[in-house]
Amino acid sequence: MRVRRLKQMLLFGPYVVFLVTVIMCVLLFVLISKEDRRIDALEEEIGHIATNQNSLIEEVSSVSSSVDELGSAVGAISKELSLIDIGAYEEKTDANERKAWPKKVYLTFDDGPSSNTAKILDILDKYGVKGNFFCVGTENEDLRKMYNRIVDEGHVLCMHSYSHKYNEIYSSVDAFTEDLDKIYSLLYEVTGKKPVGYRFPGGSSNSVSKIPMEEFIKVLDERGITYYDWNVVAGDATNPMLPAEKIIENSLCDLNEYEEAMILFHDLYNKTSTVEALPEIIEAIQANGIPIVPIDDKTMPIKHYTSTN
Ligand SMILES: [Zn+2]
């Protein structure tokens, strides 16, 4: 029995082993191919993820480059804006400066007092403005009263030499000093007030004096007297007399060239067109809102003289 069973086992054993092996192989194959598919699916998924990641990276980089572009665009815009701002500011500043000039106008009258002084004072009074009178000496008592009227009405009384004779004043430092002392004393005695400043006959850059103007300026400096030239010329010094329209034009056309404009007029008996022109000149200046002021400590003295003259 045992032998028969053994025989049977020997006979069927290999078949069983073979069968089991086959079954196991099939199972293994099924398992492997299943795992294979899973691996494939996983690989695919990984591929997808990688692709997604790449496209995400691409997207991020494109977004970041867009942000960069936006940033540089913003930078460019802001730069442009700031340029526009600065440009606008500069333009505004220029325009303002141009519009704001002159900030002050000084009306100065040389060579008085004369028969026109009272008329000039009346006009200044009518418009409520103060003038600056660079006066010469006079023996005429009626005209001397004008020194007082100038001071009493709040105008500035300045010196313009006593004699106004170029050949005498500029002949020597002594002659200049003597003439200066004479006009200073006269104005001080008549009005009780020290005259404010000086204007050289012919200006500090006159070509008449044979002695360097520096010598005379030194005399004024020693006495603490400021001299004033001018930067706008009414042109009324000419002979024959200039028509009022021309004086108006001369007085107004160059005004905006200067921060402080000092107009030179003449107060002489024969300068009636100056008196005639004055109201329109004042009205035009006032219409532009520019103050007409008297000389004071803050006035920037206009000086023609330079050491190279
Ligand atoms: Zn003069």
Side-chain angles (χ1 to χ4, degrees):
M1 189 70 181
R2 224 182 244 181
V3 175
R4 210 174 72 189
R5 199 175 282 179
L6 199 66
K7 269 184 185 176
Q8 273 178 344
M9 271 179 73
L10 282 171
L11 191 69
F12 293 108
Y15 289 107
V16 171
V17 169
F18 175 75
L19 203 66
V20 167
T21 308
V22 167
I23 288 166
M24 278 184 74
C25 276
V26 168
L27 275 174
L28 206 64
F29 177 76
V30 168
L31 269 172
I32 284 169
S33 59
K34 206 174 171 185
E35 282 307 307
D36 227 17
R37 276 204 303 279
R38 264 189 67 191
I39 285 166
D40 280 352
L42 274 173
E43 273 177 355
E44 209 173 318
E45 210 164 322
I46 287 167
H48 268 298
I49 288 167
T51 319
N52 281 349
Q53 202 178 355
N54 278 345
S55 68
L56 202 68
I57 288 168
E58 219 170 294
E59 214 165 316
V60 165
S61 84
S62 98
V63 166
S64 92
S65 79
S66 292
V67 166
D68 278 354
E69 273 172 35
L70 202 68
S72 63
V74 166
I77 287 168
S78 81
K79 201 176 167 187
E80 207 165 321
L81 277 178
S82 78
L83 280 177
I84 290 166
D85 267 353
I86 291 163
Y89 176 75
E90 278 170 356
E91 211 175 282
K92 208 170 137 193
T93 308
D94 277 350
N96 279 348
E97 273 178 3
R98 273 198 297 276
K99 227 177 165 184
W101 281 18
K103 286 178 180 153
K104 294 173 185 173
V105 172
Y106 298 91
L107 306 178
T108 69
F109 302 92
D110 282 13
D111 302 348
S114 78
S115 50
N116 282 321
T117 310
K119 293 173 198 162
I120 293 171
L121 288 168
D122 288 345
I123 294 168
L124 297 182
D125 180 53
K126 185 186 166 193
Y127 290 97
V129 297
K130 303 300 176 195
N132 308 277
F133 293 81
F134 290 89
C135 290
V136 295
T138 178
E139 305 297 322
N140 184 312
E141 285 303 321
D142 283 339
L143 289 183
R144 280 190 174 187
K145 285 176 189 165
M146 287 298 125
Y147 298 138
N148 277 321
R149 207 185 139 185
I150 288 167
V151 171
D152 293 346
E153 293 181 14
H155 305 287
V156 181
L157 182 62
C158 304
M159 299 170 280
H160 188 45
S161 82
Y162 188 96
S163 73
H164 203 274
K165 290 176 181 161
Y166 290 30
N167 58 344
E168 284 179 16
I169 300 161
Y170 297 135
S171 64
S172 70
V173 171
D174 283 348
F176 175 83
T177 309
E178 195 183 316
D179 180 89
L180 174 68
D181 287 343
K182 203 171 170 187
I183 185 68
Y184 185 93
S185 303
L186 174 68
L187 298 185
Y188 191 23
E189 277 164 23
V190 172
T191 66
K193 282 185 92 174
K194 291 174 183 172
V196 171
Y198 189 86
R199 176 169 284 162
F200 288 103
S204 67
S205 59
N206 74 81
S207 53
V208 182
S209 179
K210 300 284 178 281
I211 295 168
M213 289 303 288
E214 208 171 345
E215 299 291 316
F216 305 127
I217 291 168
K218 222 181 280 174
V219 174
L220 294 177
D221 285 346
E222 281 163 11
R223 286 164 167 71
I225 297 168
T226 306
Y227 71 93
Y228 301 86
D229 285 309
W230 57 87
N231 51 17
V232 177
V233 179
D236 59 353
T238 56
N239 265 325
M241 190 174 69
L242 208 63
E245 303 79 56
K246 194 74 193 141
I247 293 173
I248 294 165
E249 192 188 316
N250 289 342
S251 304
L252 299 176
C253 69
D254 291 335
L255 279 190
N256 61 0
E257 296 290 320
Y258 306 99
E259 191 171 352
E260 293 193 4
M262 195 170 273
I263 312 176
L264 169 65
F265 296 100
H266 288 87
D267 171 14
L268 279 167
Y269 75 96
N270 59 352
K271 304 295 178 192
T272 50
S273 62
T274 302
V275 178
E276 203 186 316
L278 204 52
E280 202 169 322
I281 293 167
I282 295 172
E283 280 169 25
I285 296 167
Q286 288 185 330
N288 281 280
I290 304 158
I292 296 171
V293 294
I295 288 171
D296 62 16
D297 296 343
K298 292 179 193 111
T299 303
M300 294 190 286
I302 293 143
K303 296 181 173 182
H304 296 166
Y305 175 83
T306 59
S307 51
T308 52
N309 278 140

